[in-house]
Amino acid sequence: MFKHIVTIVAFLASIYVVQSQETTIKLDAPNHMNPVSVGATIINGEIPGEKTVLIKTNIMGGYHIYAYVPSGEAYINSELGIDVIKGVELVGDWEKSAPQTYPGKNHLLIYKNESTFKHKIKVGKEVTKGTKIKCWIYYQCCDARICFPPKKKEIELTL
């Protein structure tokens, strides 16, 4: 019984740490010249070498980026990436915020306001502390009247 309580407390504590680390990403306020603000951080896992790359977006009200665009549409899907280096492996797939349907076009999915994207990585023992990696998001931002050209924002992170 005591072992189960300790496990539950440890689990709840890990959730708290992830939530508190997520809030440490300071994003610039989006504006009409830069309607998508992007930031990222690395969250340490429970096991040494296990980490999560977290990308966070803040999209200005009235604007959106695309989560899913079917073929035949002119819009551009958002893409996420991590430029891995020797000794760093991607684990699994991206965990993404739930997208919303575009009003009047149920086949289009979009991200509005704040969104988060997480990807687990495994860092080998040969990777020294302070090593840098890059993560990025490629997106097209639109409002009801115009779409901006696609843009790629890169963030350098320290392991």
Side-chain angles (χ1 to χ4, degrees):
M1 176 72 169
F2 179 73
K3 186 177 180 180
H4 293 291
I5 293 172
V6 170
T7 303
I8 291 169
V9 169
F11 174 74
L12 293 174
S14 70
I15 290 172
Y16 173 76
V17 169
V18 169
Q19 287 175 342
S20 66
Q21 287 181 350
E22 284 183 24
T23 60
T24 62
I25 298 176
K26 297 195 184 212
L27 300 175
D28 294 331
N31 58 57
H32 291 290
M33 296 301 293
N34 184 25
V36 181
S37 181
V38 178
T41 191
I42 293 180
I43 300 168
N44 292 320
E46 294 178 16
I47 301 168
E50 180 183 275
K51 298 180 184 294
T52 299
V53 173
L54 170 67
I55 300 175
K56 200 172 201 178
T57 61
N58 185 6
I59 302 168
M60 186 170 180
Y63 290 88
H64 59 271
I65 62 176
Y66 294 93
Y68 173 74
V69 178
S71 62
E73 290 284 349
Y75 310 109
I76 298 172
N77 276 319
S78 297
E79 297 177 26
L80 301 154
I82 300 171
D83 296 338
V84 294
I85 58 170
K86 185 177 179 182
V88 176
E89 294 177 38
L90 299 176
V91 179
D93 294 320
W94 285 97
E95 295 176 34
K96 302 174 183 179
S97 294
Q100 302 173 20
T101 57
Y102 187 85
K105 292 187 176 184
N106 292 340
H107 60 287
L108 288 176
L109 299 177
I110 59 172
Y111 295 113
K112 294 169 46 175
N113 305 316
E114 290 188 6
S115 297
T116 57
F117 310 95
K118 299 176 187 178
H119 203 297
K120 291 185 181 184
I121 59 173
K122 183 178 178 185
V123 180
K125 293 178 184 175
E126 69 275 16
V127 178
T128 58
K129 187 175 183 173
T131 298
K132 310 265 188 211
I133 63 169
K134 281 186 185 173
C135 64
W136 50 268
I137 182 170
Y138 176 79
Y139 62 89
Q140 180 182 36
C141 180
C142 302
D143 68 6
R145 295 179 313 259
I146 63 162
C147 288
F148 290 98
K151 190 169 195 170
K152 183 177 183 180
K153 289 192 178 178
E154 296 181 333
I155 298 125
E156 188 173 71
L157 300 170
T158 304
L159 296 172

